[in-house]
Amino acid sequence: MEIKSQHKGQKGLREKVLDAGLCTNCGACTNLCPYHTSYQDNPILIDTCDREEGRCYAFCPRTYTDLQALRQNLFNIDEFTPELGPFKGLYMTRAADPQVRRSAQHGGTVTTLLALALQEGLIDAAVVAEEGGTFLPAGVVAKTPSDLVRRARSKFVVSPNVATFNQAAKSGLEKIGVVATPCQALALAKMRLKPLPSKDSNIDKLHLVIGLFCGWALSWRELKSLLQGKMGKNSIVGLDIPPSKHHSMEVHTQNGIIEISLDEVLPSVRKACQYCYDLTAEFSDVSVGSARLPEGWEVARGWNQVIVRTQMGQELIALARSRGLLEFRDLPEGNWEKLQKASVNKKRAAIQNLVQRSGSSKDLLYLDGQDPVLRTLMG
Ligand SMILES: Cc1cc2nc3c(=O)[nH]c(=O)nc-3n(C[C@H](O)[C@H](O)[C@H](O)COP(=O)(O)OP(=O)(O)OC[C@H]3O[C@@H](n4cnc5c(N)ncnc54)[C@H](O)[C@@H]3O)c2cc1C
Ligand code: SF4
Ligand code: SF4
């Protein structure tokens, strides 16, 4: 339920999201108009806009969101599961191409699916994330499989990929795919619902959303200061978060892996992430995360768990299988239940933090307290 200001333009966005510390830096409010830009891990307002309503406010994943309307309008509601969202199937996959696997974060499923979508003409370009050794990622437009391989691997600071989508959609590209964290997939879903029919929108150019599972992201400044002084002469190749029992973040360097205890890392998590209820990017065509295997993390890190959510996602996975581009293995017993549990735990924690923040169990700030799924979890 929305209370306080009824302003649904830049003023409302500043009051309810930016000043409230709820901004995820998804990028949805950027590159729509001349007044907002992205700078060093945050959107900034270059100038004041006094419109009563705007796309920035309407698309932001941290303004009031009617999740049920999104589920009903964008997905097959009969396939909806409260724990994992729209659900056609859960698979374990990895790229068949060993070069893709070597470049990728885990099994290289994301890079493989995007490359296939490009080759098949399902998309003309994909928005992915790039960072040039500064840990500060930005969205970039990839048009070839080799562009994708160069931008593989996870950047654990949010990359404002939706801002790059907004820009790319104005540039003549007609069919765009986006790699999105759950907050970004939510912003794109809000755009798809076209809440401001009177305003121009390029959202019809969005043809594919590959979501990444996301437990949390790190604040850029805090990550930089965390790593400062720890790495010596080692140059960093990437980061990873192994399963929770390891209780650590891995820093991959040219000389091997350095582990940092999560006790040291968790204070650097972006504060807005504590209000995030979505682990598995529920508003995507396909969602991809790391795997869990009985052989342990050393083997599991080379595979992905993949949730297929839409017809488009299902067709893409089936094509990757029939062309031999993705390898599949059976899902170990219990993986589905573990994923459901992890997802529900994140939802419960977010609800608890939102209630604590608002001071009322009836006020979930950006979420609808009457949402049927959230109500079930609130007990
Ligand atoms: C911030 C963050 C938190 C995550 N938390 C979890 C988690 O808790 N549990 C889990 O199972 N998995 C998590 N993941 C997903 C995981 O790290 C892998 O991205 C996923 O398993 C896909 O692996 P892959 O080998 O298929 O990816 P790749 O083939 O290497 O492709 C990864 C793609 O993601 C893009 N990308 C990288 N970073 C970002 C970013 N910040 N924003 C948008 N796009 C990006 C890359 O440009 C590339 O296109 C997280 C990812 C991120 C970015
Ligand atoms: S749209 Fe995204 S970047 Fe803009 S204020 Fe909202 S959360 Fe932040
Ligand atoms: S935890 Fe949620 S808010 Fe934070 S980056 Fe991931 S999807 Fe976005």
Side-chain angles (χ1 to χ4, degrees), residues 95-106:
D97 182 343
Q99 201 207 327
V100 171
R101 291 209 300 268
R102 271 194 300 278
S103 310
Q105 185 70 16
H106 294 131

Side-chain angles (χ1 to χ4, degrees), residues 24 62 158 181-184 214-217 270 272-273 276-278 346:
T24 72
R62 289 299 168 89
V158 174
T181 54
C183 55
Q184 294 173 329
C214 182
W216 38 255
R270 192 180 182 94
C273 294
C276 178
Y277 80 98
D278 185 355
K346 186 170 179 190

Side-chain angles (χ1 to χ4, degrees), residues 92 291-297 299-301 303 329-332 335:
M92 189 161 291
R292 302 287 177 270
L293 286 170
E295 298 98 305
W297 179 231
V299 179
R301 68 163 85 238
W303 289 85
R329 64 173 276 177
D330 287 342
L331 208 65
N335 273 38

Side-chain angles (χ1 to χ4, degrees), residues 201-305:
S201 170
N202 282 312
I203 194 60
D204 294 341
K205 296 184 175 178
L206 180 67
H207 280 231
L208 176 68
V209 178
I210 302 212
L212 302 178
F213 293 7
C214 182
W216 38 255
L218 295 165
S219 139
W220 173 60
R221 280 187 184 75
E222 296 189 28
L223 175 64
K224 268 198 319 178
S225 71
L226 176 73
L227 295 180
Q228 230 162 31
K230 270 201 189 312
M231 296 302 130
K233 291 201 171 119
N234 292 311
S235 62
I236 296 173
V237 184
L239 304 176
D240 207 352
I241 319 287
S244 51
K245 70 175 182 196
H246 294 247
H247 198 65
S248 66
M249 178 173 83
E250 295 177 345
V251 184
H252 294 223
T253 75
Q254 276 161 339
N255 300 316
I257 295 177
I258 297 170
E259 291 191 359
I260 305 180
S261 164
L262 275 194
D263 295 337
E264 277 188 82
V265 176
L266 291 178
S268 303
V269 168
R270 192 180 182 94
K271 300 294 172 272
C273 294
Q274 62 186 303
Y275 305 109
C276 178
Y277 80 98
D278 185 355
L279 176 71
T280 62
E282 295 180 13
F283 294 101
S284 314
D285 291 294
V286 177
S287 304
V288 186
S290 59
R292 302 287 177 270
L293 286 170
E295 298 98 305
W297 179 231
E298 280 317 311
V299 179
R301 68 163 85 238
W303 289 85
N304 293 110
Q305 288 190 127

Side-chain angles (χ1 to χ4, degrees), residues 85-377:
F87 186 88
K88 284 185 183 290
L90 176 64
Y91 303 91
M92 189 161 291
T93 63
R94 69 176 186 184
D97 182 343
Q99 201 207 327
V100 171
R101 291 209 300 268
R102 271 194 300 278
S103 310
Q105 185 70 16
H106 294 131
T109 300
V110 174
T111 299
T112 303
L113 290 177
L114 289 174
L116 178 60
L118 279 175
Q119 279 160 344
E120 287 299 303
L122 301 173
I123 55 174
D124 309 324
V127 176
V128 295
E130 176 176 76
E131 61 97 2
T134 60
F135 302 113
L136 183 66
V140 286
V141 172
K143 293 186 179 169
T144 64
S146 62
D147 283 352
L148 291 168
V149 172
R150 275 190 291 131
R151 275 63 176 248
R153 296 198 74 123
S154 301
K155 290 84 187 174
F156 285 93
V157 171
V158 174
S159 171
N161 280 11
V162 188
T164 308
F165 166 77
N166 289 338
Q167 191 66 46
K170 287 191 269 188
S171 72
L173 291 166
E174 293 301 324
K175 295 183 281 180
I176 304 171
V178 179
V179 180
T181 54
C183 55
Q184 294 173 329
L186 179 57
L188 292 166
K190 288 178 87 168
M191 289 182 184
R192 272 182 160 151
L193 218 53
K194 299 189 182 157
L196 297 180
S198 58
K199 300 271 190 295
D200 289 345
S201 170
N202 282 312
I203 194 60
D204 294 341
K205 296 184 175 178
L206 180 67
H207 280 231
L208 176 68
V209 178
I210 302 212
L212 302 178
F213 293 7
C214 182
W216 38 255
L218 295 165
S219 139
W220 173 60
R221 280 187 184 75
E222 296 189 28
L223 175 64
K224 268 198 319 178
S225 71
L226 176 73
L227 295 180
Q228 230 162 31
K230 270 201 189 312
M231 296 302 130
K233 291 201 171 119
N234 292 311
S235 62
I236 296 173
V237 184
L239 304 176
D240 207 352
I241 319 287
S244 51
K245 70 175 182 196
H246 294 247
H247 198 65
S248 66
M249 178 173 83
E250 295 177 345
V251 184
H252 294 223
T253 75
Q254 276 161 339
N255 300 316
I257 295 177
I258 297 170
E259 291 191 359
I260 305 180
S261 164
L262 275 194
D263 295 337
E264 277 188 82
V265 176
L266 291 178
S268 303
V269 168
R270 192 180 182 94
K271 300 294 172 272
C273 294
Q274 62 186 303
Y275 305 109
C276 178
Y277 80 98
D278 185 355
L279 176 71
T280 62
E282 295 180 13
F283 294 101
S284 314
D285 291 294
V286 177
S287 304
V288 186
S290 59
R292 302 287 177 270
L293 286 170
E295 298 98 305
W297 179 231
E298 280 317 311
V299 179
R301 68 163 85 238
W303 289 85
N304 293 110
Q305 288 190 127
V306 179
I307 300 176
V308 174
R309 304 187 182 280
T310 64
Q311 183 73 23
M312 167 69 152
Q314 196 166 41
E315 285 169 12
L316 191 58
I317 286 276
L319 193 59
R321 181 177 225 157
S322 67
R323 296 268 172 88
L325 298 172
L326 282 183
E327 294 174 1
F328 287 68
R329 64 173 276 177
D330 287 342
L331 208 65
E333 207 175 309
N335 273 38
W336 188 37
E337 290 78 5
K338 279 188 200 145
L339 189 56
Q340 282 184 321
K341 192 168 167 208
S343 175
V344 167
N345 284 347
K346 186 170 179 190
K347 291 182 196 306
R348 288 222 162 96
I351 292 170
Q352 209 169 35
N353 293 335
L354 286 163
V355 168
Q356 199 170 44
R357 175 74 186 266
S358 74
S360 160
S361 61
K362 295 202 171 91
D363 183 2
L364 298 185
L365 301 179
Y366 74 102
L367 295 175
D368 180 2
Q370 298 308 315
D371 179 79
V373 176
L374 300 182
R375 284 233 62 83
T376 317
L377 295 173

